[in-house]
Amino acid sequence: AQKVTQAQTEISVVEKEDVTLDCVYETRDTTYYLFWYKQPPSGELVFLIRRNSFDEQNEISGRYSWNFQKSTSSFNFTITASQVVDSAVYFCALYGGGADGLTFGKGTHLIIQP
Amino acid sequence: SAVISQKPSRDICQRGTSLTIQCQVDSQVTMMFWYRQQPGQSLTLIATANQGSEATYESGFVIDKFPISRPNLTFSTLTVSNMSPEDSSIYLCSVVYAGSYEQYFGPGTRLTVT
């Protein structure tokens, strides 16, 4: 069975600080896909990134960066120079492909204080 | 990215009644899924909507309670039957396009059962 653990329930930082959201996963699949989604207070789920299990390159997109380490089954998400608009719940999710849906972590509520 | 619409966006329903939620996508997709997000919780997969055949349900969800249809490659419905206050949640559809592994989500339907 697949499992995604986001151990940080809530993180609060002051604007402009860097913050890292942790994600640890478990799967028996040899090929799988990892995702991060953002859910602002309005409720919609915004796709941020997908990472394939066979691609361990880290990725940077503006202030966002992701660190995928297969050896530790982790896919962590860092926001650099955080802004108030980054305040949201962030979900890490795992997809085995095909007819399987996503397995979500419990989410991390990120609060950026001005 | 996908253009996914859901109707209704929100509803308040009486206990014992049923509500049908529609999910429409802008182009053909391979996979369609339905998720539930209970208040303050993460997302849980209800079922995979299969085109032209019965949906595949996750453990804890049954067809009598959550009948699903998918008559074509761009449209699906989820019915929440014989509702109780415990069914108050956000219901979201998600899609996967051919050749892709990204799952995009609709805006969700906020259901309150009184």
Side-chain angles (χ1 to χ4, degrees), chain B residues 15-29:
Chain B
R15 180 196 300 259
T17 63
S18 297
L19 176 71
T20 296
I21 302 167
Q22 298 179 3
C23 178
Q24 179 74 56
V25 193
D26 62 332
S27 58
Q28 293 184 357
V29 295

Side-chain angles (χ1 to χ4, degrees), chain A residues 102 104, chain B residues 34-38 41-47 58-59 61:
Chain A
L102 289 166
F104 281 85
Chain B
W34 286 97
Y35 291 82
R36 180 177 73 180
Q37 186 177 25
Q38 294 176 302
Q41 303 295 314
S42 184
L43 285 82
T44 301
L45 179 66
I46 298 172
E58 294 298 298
S59 176
F61 297 96

Side-chain angles (χ1 to χ4, degrees), chain A residues 91-103:
Chain A
F91 290 100
C92 180
L94 174 64
Y95 180 42
D100 296 331
L102 289 166
T103 300

